[in-house]
Amino acid sequence: MATTTSLRLGEPVTLVKPSLTSLFLPRFIPTTSLPPSLHPRACSLQKTTHTSSFNRRHLISQTASLSLSLSIATTLYQQPAKSEETLSAWERVYLPIDPGVVLLDIAFVPDDLNHGFLLGTRQTILETKDGGKTWFPRSIPSAEEEDFNYRFNSISFLGKEGWIVGKPAVLLYTSDAGESWERIPLSAQLPGDIVYIKATGEKSAEMVTDEGAIYVTSNKGYNWRAAVQETVSATLNRTVSSGISGASYYTGTFNTVNRSPDGNYVAVSSRGNFYLTWQPGQPFWQPHNRGIARRIQNMGWRADGGLWLLVRGGGLFLSKGTGITEEFEEVPVQSRGFGILDVGYRSKDEAWAAGGSGILLKTSNGGKTWIRDKTADNIAANLYSVKFINEQKGFVLGNDGVLLQYLG
């Protein structure tokens, strides 16, 4: 039987004991827009009193008037249709969940992109078998045995292997594309709440807590090794004199954390007054001053390897160049004063930003300029997360169970 050793971030540790439980035209033209000679009542009178008095000139005149009226009506009718085409990138998918649920993450099985899972608060796990058009609740008995109302934070697949993490501390693993899930117990000494997990290889994963602990496993969770030597609080206690503004007000947890495809991390402090980065091989998180007056809301990675940064009040900044940097420049956006909460890149050129009160913004030039999409204007919800599985499949997740699916 595997034993749990005392958790020291700088040494390999055994955190868990494996579980064996399986887990054309308008239909009518308004009479007010018709020439008097073509008004229905006028036509009726003409037909009664001048049944056979049409001469060639009168017929030509009537034909010209009719052509003009039809041209105007057709133009007026087509304009809204053209406008609608510019707003058809997303549609709402209605879900069988209780009001108030906040959706937090979504993932699909790489070998079967019709099969996916959607996570949220209030112990919400939904499953789809048709690419996300319809969803149904998924029950996982091993995560329902205790009197906890889990908040499932993150999900990741690689091949048929998948991982789910949540709060209170819960870790679920599947090796058969989610047909069955088993629960892997975690050590009570785990620092902080697990907020992110990434499947990295066969029986391998990387998980992050909101206190900055990063652990990796290569044997399906039998053992976990610390990738950093100390939590962020400990790092700041050592480097508080290094000039990091706001470090003394740090509460010890992250607000957000995002991972790049090559394994680099960027995280925002809980108060938004500075941010931190970590690259594989570094022993500690590196804190950075924000260099911007407003507090940071969220940060993440662009498709070209640069950083995007969101500040409270709806500001959007892009880093100069690629990689980790402290140099950012603001990009004008039509946020209407509502906060932007997340950015998701569909390609190097196209990206979408989402935020409060149904705000949706699109860029087609890598983020230099943004236009507002009114798709979600009538949806009374905050949109928290933009996720693109690939260039054809994307989703926006929000509160009150709001899910938008990308149509292209």
Side-chain angles (χ1 to χ4, degrees):
M1 177 180 299
T3 60
T4 302
T5 64
S6 60
L7 190 148
R8 184 175 300 170
L9 294 181
E11 300 178 357
V13 294
T14 301
L15 293 180
V16 301
K17 182 176 75 173
S19 169
L20 300 179
T21 305
S22 293
L23 292 148
F24 141 186
L25 201 66
R27 296 177 59 186
F28 66 93
I29 302 172
T31 56
T32 54
S33 67
L34 289 171
S37 60
L38 289 182
H39 193 283
R41 182 172 298 176
C43 290
S44 177
L45 289 173
Q46 289 174 7
K47 183 177 180 180
T48 303
T49 60
H50 305 285
T51 302
S52 57
S53 63
F54 281 98
N55 55 33
R56 185 172 181 272
R57 180 180 298 175
H58 188 70
L59 180 60
I60 293 174
S61 175
Q62 293 287 70
T63 303
S65 298
L66 178 60
S67 298
L68 177 60
S69 298
L70 294 181
S71 176
I72 294 173
T74 302
T75 300
L76 292 174
Y77 179 78
Q78 288 177 342
Q79 285 176 346
K82 183 177 181 180
S83 177
E84 287 297 323
E85 290 175 359
T86 64
L87 305 175
S88 61
W90 302 87
E91 70 174 358
R92 182 172 180 179
V93 179
Y94 290 89
L95 304 173
I97 55 179
D98 295 332
V101 170
V102 179
L103 302 177
L104 297 174
D105 203 5
I106 188 171
F108 284 76
V109 179
D111 297 336
D112 181 7
L113 291 180
N114 285 322
H115 188 195
F117 293 85
L118 180 61
L119 309 182
T121 59
R122 301 186 185 180
Q123 206 153 308
T124 299
I125 300 181
L126 301 177
E127 187 174 7
T128 181
K129 294 290 185 71
D130 59 8
K133 298 176 183 178
T134 57
W135 298 82
F136 54 90
R138 174 63 188 268
S139 175
I140 300 178
S142 61
E144 299 173 355
E145 296 174 354
E146 304 176 51
D147 295 330
F148 288 126
N149 191 359
Y150 289 106
R151 171 192 177 102
F152 292 113
N153 289 319
S154 180
I155 180 172
S156 180
F157 274 96
L158 185 62
K160 293 185 177 181
E161 290 186 288
W163 307 77
I164 293 176
V165 294
K167 173 186 178 181
V170 60
L171 174 63
L172 304 174
Y173 170 80
T174 180
S175 59
D176 55 9
E179 295 301 323
S180 63
W181 295 84
E182 62 178 290
R183 179 172 179 176
I184 302 176
L186 292 169
S187 170
Q189 299 179 26
L190 190 69
D193 298 316
I194 311 172
V195 293
Y196 180 82
I197 193 159
K198 174 68 175 180
T200 57
E202 184 180 358
K203 299 181 181 179
S204 302
E206 191 171 273
M207 70 179 181
V208 185
T209 76
D210 61 357
E211 291 188 12
I214 302 176
Y215 294 102
V216 295
T217 184
S218 58
N219 58 3
K220 208 185 76 170
Y222 278 82
N223 304 96
W224 295 85
R225 176 179 58 84
V228 294
Q229 296 181 13
E230 62 189 14
T231 63
V232 173
S233 291
T235 298
L236 290 174
N237 285 335
R238 288 191 303 100
T239 63
V240 68
S241 61
S242 65
I244 300 303
S245 177
S248 59
Y249 297 99
Y250 184 61
T251 62
T253 59
F254 290 153
N255 184 32
T256 64
V257 59
N258 282 295
R259 184 184 190 272
S260 72
D262 54 1
N264 297 328
Y265 282 93
V266 61
V268 177
S269 70
S270 51
R271 291 172 60 91
N273 44 18
F274 62 95
Y275 66 97
L276 308 101
T277 58
W278 181 83
Q279 296 175 285
Q282 289 183 336
F284 315 109
W285 284 85
Q286 176 64 48
H288 303 264
N289 284 313
R290 68 179 186 264
I292 299 165
R294 287 175 286 175
R295 294 182 184 271
I296 306 173
Q297 186 78 46
N298 194 5
M299 292 182 69
W301 303 92
R302 304 196 304 263
D304 65 359
L307 288 164
W308 52 262
L309 182 152
L310 305 174
V311 298
R312 298 178 187 180
L316 189 156
F317 293 74
L318 299 179
S319 66
K320 298 179 180 180
T322 60
I324 296 172
T325 180
E326 295 182 4
E327 296 185 16
F328 290 82
E329 55 186 358
E330 188 170 10
V331 178
V333 292
Q334 303 174 41
S335 64
R336 300 186 296 168
F338 294 103
I340 305 174
L341 303 177
D342 194 28
V343 177
Y345 275 75
R346 175 174 173 262
S347 65
K348 284 188 176 182
D349 294 324
E350 182 179 326
W352 292 82
S357 191
I359 282 290
L360 273 178
L361 303 169
K362 177 188 178 182
T363 179
S364 298
N365 53 16
K368 297 176 183 178
T369 58
W370 297 77
I371 58 173
R372 188 164 66 88
D373 188 311
K374 301 179 181 179
T375 299
D377 277 8
N378 295 324
I379 299 178
N382 294 326
L383 306 177
Y384 288 106
S385 179
V386 183
K387 298 280 185 180
F388 279 96
I389 311 304
N390 54 36
E391 291 194 6
Q392 291 74 42
K393 185 180 294 293
F395 298 88
V396 175
L397 287 60
N399 66 332
D400 287 332
V402 171
L403 176 68
L404 305 180
Q405 183 174 20
Y406 183 73
L407 300 176

